[in-house]
Amino acid sequence: GQLVVYPILNLRAYKQDLHWYMRALEESILVALHGLGIQNATREEGITGVWINGKKVAAVGIKCKKWITLHGLSVNVESQSVDPFSGIVPCGLVGREVTCINDHLGESITVKQFAGHLRKAIAETFCVTLVCPQQTPRSGKDRP
């Protein structure tokens, strides 16, 4: 599986700079991967995303309207997430391969497990407290 995260942030509270935001998303991914012991996860100069041994493990694609962010990032966690890339050129990068986190760990993790690591890294990178939808107060009648 692949983890897809669409943070919604008001960049006026941070920096009104889309390149900064993209690098901050990459940094969050790197912090999470390094926390798992994947120390060779890096950025590559001039190419958006996160790489492990020259193979792309994470993509970043954003949209921003009035400095409110939309879209975000995806990280290949389990091997089935890379199988569909065998017939396409991912992100228009001819000759480049993709990989998943589990190809670089001794013991596999699930998408849900990695989500916990990335959640913590995003909170640290952006200095925010993330709240799960299940934890938000509801007004009026409880919804399913």
Side-chain angles (χ1 to χ4, degrees):
Q2 185 180 69
L3 177 63
V4 177
V5 179
Y6 285 5
I8 300 173
L9 298 170
N10 183 343
L11 291 184
R12 286 185 211 102
Y14 295 93
K15 222 175 172 176
Q16 293 180 21
D17 181 336
L18 297 182
H19 288 96
W20 171 85
Y21 178 60
M22 292 177 68
R23 300 299 80 83
L25 289 175
E26 291 169 342
E27 183 64 22
S28 297
I29 298 164
L30 288 168
V31 166
L33 292 173
H34 293 164
L36 290 173
I38 303 176
Q39 299 303 320
N40 51 346
T42 61
R43 293 183 183 98
E44 288 198 7
E45 188 67 33
I47 304 174
T48 299
V50 175
W51 305 78
I52 301 174
N53 298 331
K55 296 179 181 181
K56 194 165 195 173
V57 70
V60 176
I62 64 163
K63 181 177 180 174
C64 190
K65 187 173 183 178
K66 297 182 182 180
W67 296 110
I68 306 298
T69 64
L70 306 166
H71 304 301
L73 61 93
S74 63
V75 184
N76 298 321
V77 179
E78 299 165 328
S79 61
Q80 68 265 31
S81 65
V82 299
D83 294 341
F85 290 107
S86 62
I88 64 169
V89 178
C91 302
L93 300 171
V94 177
R96 300 301 299 265
E97 295 180 52
V98 295
T99 190
C100 69
I101 291 171
N102 284 340
D103 285 348
H104 304 275
L105 292 175
E107 188 174 318
S108 294
I109 64 170
T110 65
V111 172
K112 186 175 183 176
Q113 289 170 320
F114 182 68
H117 290 275
L118 186 58
R119 178 186 173 89
K120 182 179 177 195
I122 289 171
E124 290 173 8
T125 301
F126 291 98
C127 300
V128 295
T129 300
L130 300 175
V131 179
C132 288
Q134 299 86 1
Q135 296 173 337
T136 58
R138 296 175 185 226
S139 61
K141 195 173 170 182
D142 274 348
R143 291 174 261 158

